[in-house]
Amino acid sequence: MNPTVKHLLGVTAAAAIGVPALLVTGAAPAVAAQGAHCDRAQQDMWSNGPSRNLTAHRCSVPSHKKRWYTVEIDTLVQTHYKGDTLDGGVDRTRTLRNRIVRCLGYTSDTDEGTINWFGCPPL
């Protein structure tokens, strides 16, 4: 086979494989930008650090089923406890505005209209 023909076949094959790959990687940021939004959320803060869970209200959740979700929260209330159990009592609360967190997933309670986000690393 002529070297020029081999070269053209190689370029055509690379283009055929590369174009869909570029389209997929270009679409990933667009999907990530479609994050969730919640008006209000609560997070427990223990003596050894924050809980990895959030309880949120009035949320819009994207329809994609990705591993990580970007959640925009208008008002995040952090309840700081005196110890590592609820028995220790509340030390203080702190209200944060316009926070963005990443969470691994969620479960929803349609009766109460709440969403329980889990696997959320500390802010």
Coordinates of all heavy atoms in Angstrom, one line a residue, residues 16-98:
A16 N -12.0 10.3 13.0 CA -13.3 9.6 13.3 C -13.4 9.3 14.8 O -14.4 9.3 15.4 CB -13.4 8.4 12.5
I17 N -12.2 9.0 15.4 CA -12.2 8.6 16.8 C -12.2 9.9 17.7 O -12.8 10.0 18.7 CB -11.0 7.7 17.1 CG1 -11.2 6.4 16.5 CG2 -10.9 7.5 18.6 CD1 -10.0 5.5 16.5
G18 N -11.4 10.9 17.2 CA -11.2 12.1 18.0 C -12.3 13.0 18.1 O -12.6 13.6 19.1
V19 N -13.1 13.2 17.0 CA -14.2 14.1 17.0 C -15.3 13.7 18.1 O -15.7 14.6 18.9 CB -14.8 14.2 15.6 CG1 -16.1 15.0 15.6 CG2 -13.8 14.9 14.7
P20 N -15.7 12.5 18.1 CA -16.7 12.2 19.2 C -16.1 12.4 20.6 O -16.8 12.8 21.5 CB -17.1 10.7 19.0 CG -16.8 10.5 17.5 CD -15.6 11.4 17.2
A21 N -14.8 12.1 20.8 CA -14.2 12.3 22.1 C -14.2 13.7 22.4 O -14.4 14.1 23.6 CB -12.8 11.7 22.1
L22 N -13.9 14.6 21.5 CA -13.9 16.0 21.8 C -15.3 16.5 22.1 O -15.5 17.3 22.9 CB -13.4 16.8 20.6 CG -11.9 16.7 20.3 CD1 -11.5 17.4 19.0 CD2 -11.1 17.3 21.5
L23 N -16.3 16.0 21.4 CA -17.7 16.3 21.7 C -18.1 15.9 23.1 O -18.8 16.7 23.8 CB -18.6 15.7 20.6 CG -18.5 16.3 19.2 CD1 -19.4 15.5 18.3 CD2 -18.9 17.8 19.2
V24 N -17.7 14.7 23.5 CA -18.0 14.3 24.8 C -17.4 15.1 25.9 O -18.0 15.5 26.9 CB -17.7 12.8 25.0 CG1 -17.8 12.3 26.4 CG2 -18.5 11.9 24.1
T25 N -16.1 15.4 25.7 CA -15.4 16.2 26.7 C -15.9 17.6 26.7 O -15.9 18.3 27.8 CB -13.9 16.2 26.5 OG1 -13.6 16.7 25.2 CG2 -13.3 14.8 26.7
G26 N -16.3 18.1 25.6 CA -16.9 19.5 25.5 C -18.3 19.5 26.2 O -18.7 20.6 26.7
A27 N -19.0 18.4 26.2 CA -20.3 18.4 26.8 C -20.3 18.3 28.3 O -21.2 18.7 29.0 CB -21.1 17.3 26.2
A28 N -19.2 17.7 28.8 CA -19.1 17.5 30.3 C -19.2 18.8 31.1 O -20.0 18.8 32.1 CB -17.8 16.7 30.6
P29 N -18.5 19.9 30.7 CA -18.7 21.1 31.5 C -20.1 21.6 31.4 O -20.6 22.2 32.4 CB -17.7 22.1 30.9 CG -16.7 21.2 30.3 CD -17.4 20.0 29.8
A30 N -20.8 21.4 30.3 CA -22.2 21.9 30.2 C -23.1 21.2 31.1 O -24.0 21.7 31.7 CB -22.6 21.8 28.7
V31 N -22.9 19.9 31.2 CA -23.7 19.1 32.2 C -23.4 19.5 33.6 O -24.3 19.6 34.4 CB -23.5 17.6 31.9 CG1 -24.1 16.7 33.0 CG2 -24.0 17.2 30.6
A32 N -22.1 19.7 33.9 CA -21.8 20.0 35.3 C -22.3 21.4 35.7 O -22.6 21.7 36.8 CB -20.2 20.1 35.4
A33 N -22.5 22.3 34.7 CA -23.0 23.6 34.9 C -24.5 23.5 35.3 O -25.0 24.5 35.9 CB -22.8 24.5 33.7
Q34 N -25.2 22.5 34.9 CA -26.6 22.3 35.3 C -26.7 21.7 36.7 O -27.2 20.6 36.8 CB -27.3 21.4 34.3 CG -27.3 22.0 32.9 CD -28.0 21.0 31.9 OE1 -28.3 19.9 32.3 NE2 -28.1 21.4 30.7
G35 N -26.3 22.5 37.7 CA -26.3 21.9 39.0 C -27.6 22.1 39.7 O -28.6 22.6 39.1
A36 N -27.7 21.7 40.9 CA -28.9 21.9 41.7 C -29.0 23.2 42.4 O -27.9 23.8 42.6 CB -29.0 20.7 42.7
H37 N -30.1 23.6 42.8 CA -30.3 24.9 43.5 C -31.3 24.7 44.6 O -32.3 24.1 44.4 CB -30.8 26.0 42.6 CG -31.0 27.3 43.4 ND1 -32.3 27.6 43.9 CD2 -30.2 28.3 43.7 CE1 -32.2 28.8 44.5 NE2 -30.9 29.2 44.4
C38 N -30.9 25.1 45.8 CA -31.8 25.0 47.0 C -31.9 26.4 47.7 O -30.9 27.1 47.8 CB -31.2 24.0 48.0 SG -31.1 22.3 47.3
D39 N -33.1 26.7 48.1 CA -33.3 28.0 48.8 C -32.7 28.0 50.2 O -32.1 28.9 50.6 CB -34.8 28.3 48.9 CG -35.4 28.7 47.6 OD1 -34.6 29.0 46.7 OD2 -36.6 28.6 47.5
R40 N -32.8 26.8 50.9 CA -32.3 26.8 52.3 C -31.8 25.4 52.6 O -32.4 24.4 52.1 CB -33.5 27.1 53.2 CG -33.1 27.2 54.7 CD -34.4 27.8 55.5 NE -34.1 27.8 56.9 CZ -33.4 28.8 57.5 NH1 -32.9 29.8 56.8 NH2 -33.2 28.7 58.8
A41 N -30.8 25.3 53.5 CA -30.3 24.0 53.9 C -29.7 24.1 55.3 O -29.3 25.2 55.8 CB -29.2 23.5 52.9
Q42 N -29.7 22.9 56.0 CA -29.1 22.9 57.3 C -28.0 21.8 57.3 O -28.1 20.8 56.6 CB -30.1 22.4 58.4 CG -31.2 23.4 58.6 CD -32.4 23.1 57.8 OE1 -32.6 22.0 57.2 NE2 -33.3 24.1 57.6
Q43 N -26.9 22.1 58.1 CA -25.8 21.2 58.2 C -25.4 21.2 59.7 O -25.2 22.2 60.3 CB -24.6 21.7 57.3 CG -23.4 20.8 57.4 CD -22.3 21.3 56.5 OE1 -22.1 22.5 56.4 NE2 -21.5 20.4 56.0
D44 N -25.2 20.0 60.2 CA -24.7 19.8 61.6 C -23.2 19.9 61.6 O -22.5 19.4 60.7 CB -25.1 18.4 62.1 CG -26.6 18.3 62.3 OD1 -27.3 19.4 62.5 OD2 -27.2 17.2 62.2
M45 N -22.7 20.6 62.6 CA -21.2 20.8 62.8 C -20.9 20.2 64.2 O -21.4 20.6 65.2 CB -20.9 22.3 62.8 CG -21.3 23.0 61.6 SD -20.5 22.5 60.1 CE -18.9 23.3 60.3
W46 N -20.0 19.2 64.1 CA -19.6 18.5 65.3 C -18.3 19.0 65.8 O -17.6 19.7 65.1 CB -19.6 17.0 65.1 CG -20.9 16.5 64.5 CD1 -21.1 16.2 63.2 CD2 -22.1 16.3 65.1 NE1 -22.4 15.8 63.0 CE2 -23.1 15.9 64.1 CE3 -22.6 16.5 66.4 CZ2 -24.4 15.6 64.4 CZ3 -23.9 16.2 66.7 CH2 -24.8 15.8 65.7
S47 N -17.9 18.5 67.0 CA -16.6 19.0 67.5 C -15.4 18.5 66.6 O -14.4 19.2 66.6 CB -16.4 18.4 68.9 OG -16.4 17.0 68.9
N48 N -15.6 17.4 65.9 CA -14.5 16.9 65.0 C -14.7 17.4 63.6 O -13.9 16.9 62.7 CB -14.4 15.4 65.1 CG -15.6 14.7 64.6 OD1 -16.6 15.3 64.3 ND2 -15.5 13.4 64.6
G49 N -15.6 18.3 63.3 CA -15.8 18.8 61.9 C -17.2 18.7 61.5 O -18.1 18.2 62.2
P50 N -17.4 19.1 60.2 CA -18.8 19.2 59.7 C -19.3 17.8 59.3 O -18.6 16.9 59.0 CB -18.7 20.1 58.5 CG -17.3 19.9 58.0 CD -16.5 19.7 59.3
S51 N -20.7 17.7 59.4 CA -21.3 16.5 58.9 C -21.2 16.5 57.3 O -21.1 17.5 56.7 CB -22.8 16.5 59.2 OG -23.5 15.5 58.5
R52 N -21.2 15.3 56.8 CA -21.1 15.2 55.3 C -22.5 15.2 54.7 O -22.6 15.0 53.5 CB -20.4 13.9 54.9 CG -19.0 13.7 55.5 CD -18.0 14.8 54.9 NE -16.6 14.4 55.1 CZ -15.9 15.1 55.9 NH1 -16.4 16.1 56.6 NH2 -14.6 14.8 56.1
N53 N -23.5 15.5 55.5 CA -24.9 15.5 55.0 C -25.5 16.9 55.1 O -25.2 17.6 56.0 CB -25.7 14.5 55.7 CG -25.2 13.1 55.6 OD1 -24.6 12.7 54.6 ND2 -25.4 12.3 56.6
L54 N -26.4 17.2 54.2 CA -27.2 18.4 54.2 C -28.6 18.1 54.1 O -29.0 17.2 53.3 CB -26.8 19.4 53.1 CG -25.3 19.9 53.0 CD1 -25.2 20.6 51.7 CD2 -25.0 20.8 54.2
T55 N -29.5 18.8 54.8 CA -30.9 18.7 54.6 C -31.4 20.0 54.0 O -31.2 21.1 54.5 CB -31.6 18.5 55.9 OG1 -31.1 17.3 56.5 CG2 -33.1 18.3 55.7
A56 N -31.9 19.9 52.8 CA -32.3 21.1 52.0 C -33.8 21.2 51.7 O -34.5 20.2 51.6 CB -31.5 21.1 50.7
H57 N -34.2 22.4 51.5 CA -35.6 22.7 51.2 C -35.8 23.5 49.9 O -34.9 24.3 49.6 CB -36.3 23.4 52.3 CG -36.1 22.7 53.6 ND1 -36.9 21.7 54.1 CD2 -35.2 22.9 54.6 CE1 -36.4 21.3 55.3 NE2 -35.4 22.0 55.6
R58 N -36.9 23.3 49.2 CA -37.2 24.0 48.0 C -36.0 23.9 47.0 O -35.4 24.9 46.7 CB -37.6 25.5 48.2 CG -38.9 25.6 49.0 CD -39.3 27.0 49.2 NE -38.4 27.8 49.9 CZ -38.2 27.9 51.2 NH1 -39.0 27.2 52.0 NH2 -37.4 28.7 51.8
C59 N -35.8 22.7 46.5 CA -34.6 22.5 45.6 C -35.1 22.2 44.2 O -36.2 21.6 44.0 CB -33.8 21.3 46.1 SG -33.0 21.5 47.7
S60 N -34.3 22.5 43.2 CA -34.4 22.1 41.9 C -33.2 21.2 41.6 O -32.1 21.6 41.8 CB -34.5 23.3 40.9 OG -33.3 24.0 40.9
V61 N -33.5 20.0 41.1 CA -32.4 19.0 40.9 C -32.4 18.7 39.4 O -33.4 18.4 38.8 CB -32.7 17.7 41.8 CG1 -31.6 16.7 41.5 CG2 -32.8 18.1 43.2
P62 N -31.2 18.6 38.8 CA -31.1 18.3 37.4 C -31.5 16.9 37.2 O -31.5 16.0 38.1 CB -29.7 18.5 37.1 CG -28.9 18.4 38.3 CD -29.9 18.9 39.4
S63 N -31.9 16.6 35.9 CA -32.4 15.2 35.6 C -31.3 14.2 35.4 O -31.5 13.1 35.3 CB -33.4 15.3 34.4 OG -32.7 15.8 33.3
H64 N -30.1 14.7 35.2 CA -29.0 13.8 34.9 C -28.6 13.0 36.1 O -28.8 13.4 37.3 CB -27.7 14.5 34.4 CG -27.1 15.4 35.4 ND1 -26.2 15.0 36.3 CD2 -27.1 16.8 35.6 CE1 -25.8 16.0 37.1 NE2 -26.3 17.1 36.6
K65 N -28.1 11.8 35.9 CA -27.7 11.0 37.1 C -26.2 10.8 37.1 O -25.6 9.9 36.7 CB -28.4 9.6 36.9 CG -29.9 9.6 36.9 CD -30.4 10.0 38.2 CE -31.9 9.9 38.2 NZ -32.5 10.6 39.3
K66 N -25.6 11.9 37.5 CA -24.1 11.9 37.6 C -23.7 11.5 39.0 O -24.4 11.5 39.9 CB -23.6 13.3 37.2 CG -23.8 13.7 35.8 CD -23.0 12.8 34.9 CE -23.3 13.2 33.4 NZ -22.6 12.4 32.5
R67 N -22.4 11.3 39.1 CA -21.8 10.9 40.4 C -21.8 12.1 41.4 O -22.0 12.0 42.6 CB -20.5 10.3 40.3 CG -19.9 9.8 41.6 CD -18.7 8.9 41.3 NE -19.0 7.6 40.9 CZ -19.2 6.6 41.6 NH1 -19.3 6.7 42.9 NH2 -19.5 5.4 41.1
W68 N -21.4 13.3 40.9 CA -21.3 14.4 41.8 C -22.2 15.5 41.3 O -22.5 15.7 40.1 CB -19.8 15.0 41.7 CG -18.9 14.2 42.4 CD1 -18.1 13.2 41.9 CD2 -18.6 14.2 43.8 NE1 -17.3 12.6 42.9 CE2 -17.6 13.2 44.1 CE3 -19.1 14.9 44.9 CZ2 -17.1 13.0 45.3 CZ3 -18.6 14.7 46.1 CH2 -17.6 13.7 46.4
Y69 N -22.8 16.2 42.3 CA -23.7 17.3 42.0 C -23.2 18.6 42.6 O -22.6 18.6 43.7 CB -25.1 17.0 42.7 CG -25.9 15.9 42.1 CD1 -25.6 14.6 42.5 CD2 -26.8 16.1 41.1 CE1 -26.3 13.5 42.0 CE2 -27.5 15.0 40.5 CZ -27.3 13.8 41.0 OH -27.9 12.7 40.4
T70 N -23.3 19.6 41.9 CA -22.9 21.0 42.4 C -24.2 21.6 42.8 O -25.2 21.7 42.1 CB -22.3 21.8 41.2 OG1 -21.1 21.2 40.8 CG2 -21.9 23.2 41.8
V71 N -24.3 22.0 44.1 CA -25.5 22.5 44.7 C -25.3 23.9 45.1 O -24.4 24.2 46.0 CB -25.9 21.6 45.9 CG1 -27.2 22.1 46.5 CG2 -25.9 20.1 45.6
E72 N -26.1 24.8 44.6 CA -26.1 26.2 45.0 C -27.1 26.4 46.1 O -28.3 26.0 45.9 CB -26.4 27.1 43.8 CG -25.4 27.1 42.7 CD -25.8 28.0 41.5 OE1 -26.6 28.9 41.8 OE2 -25.3 27.7 40.4
I73 N -26.7 26.9 47.2 CA -27.6 27.1 48.4 C -27.6 28.6 48.7 O -26.6 29.2 48.9 CB -27.0 26.3 49.6 CG1 -27.0 24.8 49.2 CG2 -27.9 26.5 50.8 CD1 -26.3 24.0 50.3
D74 N -28.8 29.1 48.7 CA -29.0 30.5 49.1 C -28.7 30.8 50.5 O -28.0 31.8 50.8 CB -30.4 31.0 48.7 CG -30.7 31.1 47.2 OD1 -29.7 31.1 46.5 OD2 -31.9 31.0 46.9
T75 N -29.2 30.0 51.4 CA -29.0 30.2 52.9 C -28.7 28.9 53.5 O -29.5 27.9 53.5 CB -30.3 30.8 53.5 OG1 -30.7 32.0 52.9 CG2 -30.0 31.0 55.0
L76 N -27.5 28.8 54.0 CA -27.0 27.5 54.7 C -26.9 27.8 56.2 O -26.1 28.7 56.6 CB -25.7 27.1 54.1 CG -25.0 25.9 54.8 CD1 -25.9 24.6 54.7 CD2 -23.6 25.6 54.2
V77 N -27.6 27.1 57.0 CA -27.6 27.3 58.5 C -26.8 26.1 59.0 O -27.1 25.0 58.9 CB -29.0 27.3 59.1 CG1 -28.9 27.4 60.6 CG2 -29.8 28.5 58.5
Q78 N -25.7 26.4 59.7 CA -24.8 25.4 60.3 C -25.1 25.5 61.8 O -24.9 26.5 62.5 CB -23.3 25.7 60.0 CG -23.0 25.6 58.6 CD -21.5 25.9 58.3 OE1 -20.9 26.7 59.0 NE2 -20.9 25.2 57.4
T79 N -25.5 24.3 62.4 CA -25.7 24.2 63.8 C -24.5 23.5 64.4 O -24.1 22.4 64.1 CB -26.9 23.3 64.1 OG1 -28.1 23.9 63.4 CG2 -27.2 23.2 65.5
H80 N -23.8 24.3 65.3 CA -22.6 23.8 66.0 C -23.0 23.2 67.3 O -23.6 23.8 68.1 CB -21.6 24.9 66.2 CG -21.0 25.5 64.9 ND1 -19.8 25.1 64.5 CD2 -21.5 26.4 64.0 CE1 -19.5 25.8 63.3 NE2 -20.6 26.5 63.0
Y81 N -22.6 21.9 67.5 CA -22.9 21.2 68.7 C -21.8 21.2 69.6 O -20.6 21.3 69.2 CB -23.4 19.8 68.4 CG -24.7 19.7 67.7 CD1 -24.8 19.6 66.3 CD2 -25.9 19.7 68.4 CE1 -26.0 19.6 65.7 CE2 -27.1 19.7 67.8 CZ -27.2 19.6 66.4 OH -28.4 19.6 65.8
K82 N -22.0 21.0 70.9 CA -20.9 21.1 71.9 C -20.1 19.8 71.9 O -18.9 19.9 72.4 CB -21.5 21.3 73.3 CG -22.2 22.6 73.5 CD -22.8 22.8 74.9 CE -23.4 24.1 75.0 NZ -24.1 24.3 76.3
G83 N -20.6 18.7 71.4 CA -19.8 17.5 71.4 C -20.1 16.7 70.1 O -20.4 17.4 69.0
D84 N -20.0 15.4 70.2 CA -20.2 14.6 69.0 C -21.6 13.9 69.0 O -21.8 13.1 68.1 CB -19.1 13.5 68.9 CG -17.7 14.1 68.6 OD1 -17.7 15.2 67.9 OD2 -16.7 13.5 69.0
T85 N -22.4 14.3 69.9 CA -23.8 13.8 69.9 C -24.8 14.9 70.1 O -24.4 16.0 70.5 CB -24.0 12.8 71.1 OG1 -23.8 13.4 72.3 CG2 -23.0 11.6 71.0
L86 N -26.0 14.6 69.8 CA -27.1 15.6 70.1 C -27.3 15.9 71.5 O -27.8 17.0 71.9 CB -28.4 15.2 69.4 CG -28.4 15.0 67.9 CD1 -29.7 14.4 67.4 CD2 -28.2 16.4 67.2
D87 N -26.9 15.0 72.4 CA -27.1 15.2 73.8 C -26.3 16.3 74.4 O -26.6 16.9 75.4 CB -26.7 13.9 74.6 CG -27.6 12.7 74.2 OD1 -28.7 13.0 73.8 OD2 -27.1 11.6 74.3
G88 N -25.2 16.7 73.7 CA -24.3 17.8 74.2 C -25.0 19.2 74.1 O -24.5 20.1 74.8
G89 N -26.0 19.3 73.3 CA -26.7 20.6 73.1 C -26.0 21.4 72.1 O -24.9 21.1 71.6
V90 N -26.7 22.5 71.7 CA -26.3 23.4 70.7 C -25.4 24.5 71.3 O -25.7 25.1 72.3 CB -27.5 24.0 70.0 CG1 -27.0 25.1 69.0 CG2 -28.3 23.0 69.3
D91 N -24.2 24.7 70.7 CA -23.3 25.7 71.1 C -23.7 27.0 70.4 O -23.8 28.1 71.1 CB -21.9 25.3 70.8 CG -20.8 26.3 71.2 OD1 -21.1 27.0 72.3 OD2 -19.8 26.5 70.5
R92 N -23.9 27.0 69.1 CA -24.2 28.2 68.4 C -24.7 27.8 67.0 O -24.5 26.7 66.6 CB -23.0 29.2 68.3 CG -21.9 28.6 67.5 CD -20.6 29.5 67.6 NE -19.4 28.8 67.2 CZ -19.0 28.8 65.9 NH1 -19.6 29.4 65.0 NH2 -17.9 28.1 65.6
T93 N -25.3 28.7 66.3 CA -25.6 28.5 64.9 C -24.9 29.6 64.0 O -24.6 30.7 64.6 CB -27.1 28.6 64.6 OG1 -27.6 29.8 65.0 CG2 -27.8 27.4 65.3
R94 N -24.7 29.3 62.8 CA -24.0 30.3 61.9 C -24.8 30.2 60.6 O -25.1 29.1 60.0 CB -22.6 29.9 61.7 CG -21.8 30.9 60.9 CD -20.3 30.6 61.0 NE -19.9 30.1 59.7 CZ -18.7 29.7 59.3 NH1 -17.8 29.7 60.3 NH2 -18.4 29.3 58.1
T95 N -25.1 31.4 60.0 CA -25.8 31.4 58.7 C -24.9 31.9 57.7 O -24.3 33.0 57.8 CB -27.0 32.4 58.8 OG1 -27.9 31.9 59.9 CG2 -27.8 32.4 57.5
L96 N -24.8 31.1 56.6 CA -23.9 31.5 55.4 C -24.8 31.7 54.2 O -25.8 31.0 54.0 CB -23.0 30.3 55.1 CG -22.1 29.9 56.3 CD1 -21.3 28.6 55.9 CD2 -21.1 31.0 56.7
R97 N -24.5 32.7 53.4 CA -25.2 33.0 52.3 C -24.5 32.7 51.0 O -23.3 32.7 50.9 CB -25.5 34.6 52.2 CG -26.1 35.1 53.5 CD -27.6 35.1 53.4 NE -28.2 35.7 54.6 CZ -29.1 35.2 55.3 NH1 -29.7 34.1 54.9 NH2 -29.6 35.8 56.4
N98 N -25.3 32.3 50.0 CA -24.8 32.0 48.6 C -23.6 31.1 48.6 O -22.5 31.4 48.2 CB -24.5 33.3 47.9 CG -25.7 34.2 47.8 OD1 -26.8 33.7 47.6 ND2 -25.5 35.5 48.0

